[in-house]
Amino acid sequence: MNAILCRTKWRIFGVDTDCYRIQQYLQNERVEFFCSDLSAPGVVQRIAQFPIVVNLAAICTPSRYMSQAVTVIRSNYDYPALLAEACQKSGSWLIHFSTSEVYGKTPADSGPLKEDETPLIFGPVQSSRWSYATAKLLTERFVAGLENLRWTMVRPFNFVGPYMDFMPGVDGEGIPRVLANFSTALLKGEPIKLVNGGCARRSFTSVFDAMDFLFDVFASPEKAFYQTFNVGNPENEVTIAELAEKMRRIYAQLRGVSLASIPEPCSIDGEAYYGVGYDDSLRRLPDVEKAERLLGFKASTPLDVVLRESLSWFVDHYGAGTEL
Ligand code: UGA
């Protein structure tokens, strides 16, 4: 929201289930905010009155994919499909945020994932982890199948940065994604939990790079129509165990304490931690050639920089009274 207000003269109609992180923008005369999800009567039609629609709405927390599979599917297929149809009718350009998880159950030896070539393979239906990814993929297919809808599809690869997710017990419940979860453990002085030893790999991407990507899309609609883009940073690929180690080091520096005073991580079984049906992608490495070729976009923020800024924000935001 801030980037759009600073870099354009556009009006914004924002819809979200809460607004506590954007309070400072709500008085701006170019901002109108409606507190709701996409299921509220008339809301998708109202959104589709705007010429550009960016759909970021989703339940995208893996801990909910098993226990709330139906809600997750509705959030990631039913309502986005309604919004896409509303955009088709109104003539809006739909920029839909899908997920890197549509690449599915990628093995440890998989290579770079290409938007228009890599097969998308999921685990069995009993592995309810894939409820989210299959719903997201169906939305991609639905959007691509709608005639006369101008669309652009985005597959984010683990965006990270300040304001991400929540701290369990403070402003949310359950297990947030890995960065917020590791930050919480560090703040509480508890061991970081490495699911199945932390051998899975991810390519973490600064949310500020992701924003630059979005502006590159805005600037080149003709090149972005009917295209699916990976948005990721292959240079930031790490195992989750390596991520934990980096975060322990940065946290020790931020707090001015020795690394030895920060608890060692421990391993935990995936199904014991998240619930029956949990499964994982073992490697998610984006091929980013297409975004660079068509839009001139390349993510550039190094992992250590984005981890430091995220962890500093987390400590400032939630850390009062937790001096080591
Ligand atoms: C999730 C969503 O399902 C994706 O749609 C989304 O695109 C992606 O986050 C993202 O942020 O872009 P995932 O990468 O599996 O996918 O999400 P995390 O919960 O952040 O987990 C990353 C890895 O860390 C997984 O291997 C997980 O098992 C591990 N993990 C997570 C831990 O080892 N410990 C934890 O406490 C939390």
Side-chain angles (χ1 to χ4, degrees):
M1 190 171 274
N2 184 37
I4 289 180
L5 289 174
C6 293
R7 297 193 208 179
T8 74
K9 294 194 162 55
W10 300 349
R11 284 194 307 126
I12 301 173
F13 178 58
V15 177
D16 204 342
T17 50
D18 69 55
C19 60
Y20 80 101
R21 289 176 179 173
I22 53 167
Q23 288 293 341
Q24 63 273 39
Y25 308 115
L26 297 184
Q27 301 310 318
N28 190 304
E29 58 183 16
R30 286 160 56 207
V31 174
E32 188 185 341
F33 181 79
F34 186 61
C35 194
S36 166
D37 65 19
L38 295 182
S39 65
V43 72
V44 296
Q45 289 75 15
R46 173 87 173 87
I47 294 169
Q49 287 169 9
F50 284 74
I52 302 178
V53 172
V54 181
N55 187 6
L56 294 148
I59 295 176
C60 56
T61 313
S63 60
R64 299 176 66 183
Y65 302 168
M66 286 71 68
S67 59
Q68 301 171 31
V70 170
T71 311
V72 166
I73 291 166
R74 289 200 196 293
S75 144
N76 287 292
Y77 173 69
D78 289 15
Y79 308 135
L82 289 175
L83 181 60
E85 284 180 308
C87 291
Q88 181 197 33
K89 283 202 186 84
S90 66
S92 304
W93 172 20
L94 175 64
I95 302 172
H96 182 77
F97 275 68
S98 180
T99 173
S100 54
E101 201 157 312
V102 295
Y103 292 105
K105 195 174 159 56
T106 46
D109 62 357
S110 53
L113 303 162
K114 287 178 90 73
E115 296 94 333
D116 305 319
E117 289 177 26
T118 302
L120 312 174
I121 297 172
F122 300 99
V125 172
Q126 284 87 344
S127 293
S128 41
R129 157 68 193 251
W130 305 111
S131 59
Y132 165 81
T134 48
K136 281 281 200 191
L137 179 57
L138 186 57
T139 300
E140 287 202 20
R141 292 193 183 280
F142 185 81
V143 165
L146 284 177
E147 280 178 20
N148 301 321
L149 169 69
R150 287 175 308 160
W151 57 267
T152 300
M153 198 60 66
V154 185
R155 293 180 180 165
F157 281 69
N158 293 76
F159 292 172
V160 285
Y163 294 97
M164 189 181 165
D165 285 354
F166 57 90
M167 183 167 178
V170 176
D171 54 355
E173 294 303 330
I175 305 174
R177 282 171 295 177
V178 66
L179 206 80
N181 218 26
F182 284 7
S183 304
T184 299
L186 290 167
L187 214 56
K188 289 184 166 177
E190 294 171 357
I192 282 174
K193 294 193 175 79
L194 297 176
V195 171
N196 301 329
C199 60
R201 279 186 278 175
R202 295 290 186 272
S203 308
F204 292 94
T205 311
S206 163
V207 71
F208 298 109
D209 284 336
M211 246 180 317
D212 288 341
F213 165 82
L214 198 51
F215 280 88
D216 288 343
V217 167
F218 292 152
S220 303
E222 298 297 334
K223 291 180 182 161
F225 289 154
Y226 316 116
Q227 296 291 346
T228 299
F229 292 102
N230 288 339
V231 181
N233 190 337
E235 287 166 25
N236 284 349
E237 189 188 29
V238 281
T239 67
I240 298 303
E242 287 164 350
L243 175 76
E245 207 41 43
K246 280 179 180 292
M247 289 183 68
R248 287 179 71 238
R249 283 179 192 281
I250 293 170
Y251 188 73
Q253 286 165 5
L254 287 175
R255 286 295 172 116
V257 298
S258 70
L259 183 61
S261 67
I262 313 277
E264 292 281 343
C266 62
S267 182
I268 186 160
D269 174 79
E271 286 202 327
Y273 190 46
Y274 285 114
V276 173
Y278 182 74
D279 199 353
D280 207 352
S281 317
L282 290 184
R283 188 176 194 206
R284 250 190 232 157
L285 180 69
D287 182 296
V288 293
E289 181 274 336
K290 186 173 172 181
E292 193 171 2
R293 175 169 42 86
L294 293 184
L295 304 172
F297 169 78
K298 195 171 189 311
S300 59
T301 311
L303 185 57
D304 283 345
V305 172
V306 68
L307 290 182
R308 182 173 287 277
E309 83 195 342
S310 307
L311 210 39
S312 302
W313 176 83
F314 203 92
V315 170
D316 289 347
H317 192 74
Y318 296 108
T322 59
E323 260 55 46
L324 287 173

